[in-house]
């Protein structure tokens, strides 16, 4: 008999991820703060939409949470009259796939253990395009045997499942990955602006970077597609990126690590957030670099 997976949070990422689970043959129970979104998912994709979080927990073997913040995850688990703990069966696995705060995730894992379940953190990288194809990179932290049990669910959504260590380590790794990704984006855009002032074509520069040692994810998948095209619609918001970088900086503080370069990257994103707003696409941080340089990138 197919396992039943509860999925809480049917947003930009959650919808295609839950869709992959349906396609993989799991029975999927969905829940979202917007009831109409859960109903639409059932109508368009399949699965079921229980009337409450409690009912979802009562009928699910594993539960995925894909939510904006750790605080919201905590409320879904235990706050109010309707929560997952109210219906969660002993032995239930909570797969926390949000971009969470590692220290909060560790506390949530203790609360889940106290009611007879197990929590692992399994944040993702790859954005909406790879969520749609089930090719996300998943960073899994927690008990090894529990990750083994969750592997069929994780593998339905991701092309690679990378074990990072104890619970909370996946969320730390996700934030640090996005810190590195953002740094690569910003230095690359700055280099394009310098080159354009010198007389180089930014599109040609991007091709050269991708054939040389300056290559990174942004040069490959963002510069031509979203910046030089002026589309700025990669599908990941500035607000979410700023949150992830704040988490990375918090981990730096908690580990007493000097972070001068990270601090500059974080400062740039905070400035871009202030300028363009939390709903702006994260690739619009290139516009901040352009404002500072006094020129706009153009693809010849």
């Amino acid at each position: 008999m197919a396992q039943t997976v509860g999925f809480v949070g049917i947003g930009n990422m959650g919808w295609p991820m839950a869709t992959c689970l349906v396609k993989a043959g799991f029975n999927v129970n969905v829940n979202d703060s917007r009831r109409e979104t859960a109903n639409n998912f059932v109508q368009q994709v399949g699965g079921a939409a229980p009337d409450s979080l409690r009912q979802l927990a009562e009928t699910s073997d594993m539960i995925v949470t894909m939510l904006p913040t750790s605080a919201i995850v905590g409320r879904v688990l235990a706050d109010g009259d309707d929560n997952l703990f109210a219906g969660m069966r002993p032995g239930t696995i909570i797969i926390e796939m949000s971009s969470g705060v590692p220290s909060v995730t560790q506390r949530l894992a203790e609360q889940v253990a106290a009611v007879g379940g197990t929590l692992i953190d399994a944040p993702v990288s790859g954005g909406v395009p790879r969520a749609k194809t089930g090719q996300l990179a998943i960073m899994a932290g927690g008990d090894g045997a529990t990750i083994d049990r969750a592997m069929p669910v994780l593998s339905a959504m991701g092309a690679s499942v990378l074990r990072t260590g104890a619970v909370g380590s996946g969320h730390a790794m996700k934030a640090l990955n996005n810190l590195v990704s953002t740094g690569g984006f910003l230095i690359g855009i700055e280099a394009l602006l310098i080159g354009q002032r010198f007389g180089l074509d930014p599109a040609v520069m991007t091709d050269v970077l991708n054939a040389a040692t300056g290559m990174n994810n942004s040069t490959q998948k963002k510069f031509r597609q979203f910046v030089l095209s002026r589309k700025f619609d990669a599908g990941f918001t500035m607000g979410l990126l700023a949150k992830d970088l704040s988490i990375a900086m918090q981990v730096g503080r908690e580990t007493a690590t000097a972070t001068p370069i990270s601090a500059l990257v974080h400062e740039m994103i905070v400035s871009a957030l202030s300028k363009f707003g939390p709903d702006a696409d994260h690739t619009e941080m290139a516009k901040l670099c352009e404002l500072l340089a006094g020129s706009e990138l153009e693809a010849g």
Side-chain angles (χ1 to χ4, degrees):
M1 180 181 296
Q3 283 188 313
T4 299
V5 180
F7 203 109
V8 183
I10 309 298
N12 289 339
M13 289 290 290
W15 183 294
M17 290 167 66
T19 299
C20 286
L21 294 176
V22 172
K23 290 179 178 179
F26 292 100
N27 300 318
V28 179
N29 291 328
V30 295
N31 178 279
D32 194 88
S33 60
R34 301 154 298 183
R35 177 69 195 187
E36 65 276 12
T37 299
N39 291 338
N40 288 340
F41 182 91
V42 173
Q43 293 171 4
Q44 297 177 34
V45 181
D51 291 332
S52 65
L53 288 169
R54 177 174 186 159
Q55 289 179 9
L56 180 144
E58 289 173 342
T59 55
S60 299
D61 303 299
M62 299 187 190
I63 301 171
V64 173
T65 50
M66 189 64 176
L67 298 163
T69 67
S70 291
I72 294 174
V73 174
R75 291 199 291 270
V76 164
L77 286 173
D79 283 6
D81 295 329
D82 180 33
N83 58 63
L84 294 176
F85 284 175
M88 199 176 83
R89 296 175 294 180
T92 299
I93 296 174
I94 303 291
I95 307 175
E96 216 299 81
M97 304 191 79
S98 318
S99 293
V101 179
S103 56
V104 176
T105 300
Q106 290 167 343
R107 291 198 295 272
L108 293 176
E110 292 174 354
Q111 294 175 21
V112 171
V115 295
T118 308
L119 182 146
I120 61 174
D121 54 319
V124 304
S125 180
V128 173
R130 286 169 63 183
K132 290 179 178 179
T133 60
Q135 295 179 310
L136 292 166
I138 299 175
M139 295 150 263
D143 173 69
T146 304
I147 294 174
D148 288 341
R149 288 175 56 200
M151 192 62 71
V153 172
L154 298 174
S155 297
M157 296 179 284
S160 59
V161 179
L162 306 163
R163 301 182 188 227
T164 53
V167 68
S169 64
H171 281 152
M173 187 66 245
K174 168 64 185 293
L176 294 170
N177 173 78
N178 281 9
L179 173 65
V180 172
S181 178
T182 305
F185 182 99
L186 290 172
I187 195 65
I189 292 296
E190 196 165 282
L192 294 190
L193 287 163
I194 294 169
Q196 181 172 269
R197 284 279 183 88
F198 181 78
L200 290 164
D201 181 343
V204 173
M205 287 187 70
T206 299
D207 290 341
V208 173
L209 290 170
N210 285 331
T213 57
M215 174 182 62
N216 61 43
N217 178 266
S218 294
T219 65
Q220 291 180 311
K221 299 181 179 180
K222 296 180 183 179
F223 285 3
R224 276 187 175 275
Q225 296 88 333
F226 305 115
V227 179
L228 299 183
S229 70
R230 313 309 289 178
K231 292 181 179 178
F232 300 109
D233 59 353
F236 185 59
T237 68
M238 195 82 72
L240 290 175
L241 179 62
K243 181 199 72 171
D244 288 348
L245 265 60
S246 293
I247 292 171
M249 296 303 295
Q250 180 175 335
V251 174
R253 290 190 298 272
E254 291 174 350
T255 56
T257 305
T259 57
I261 298 172
S262 300
L264 177 58
V265 172
H266 182 238
E267 182 180 342
M268 289 286 287
I269 298 310
V270 170
S271 297
L273 180 68
S274 177
K275 178 69 176 176
F276 303 112
D279 294 328
D281 193 81
H282 78 285
T283 56
E284 291 190 56
M285 58 187 166
K287 294 180 181 179
L288 180 64
C289 298
E290 292 173 334
L291 288 171
L292 294 171
S295 57
E296 183 177 298
L297 289 169
E298 300 175 0

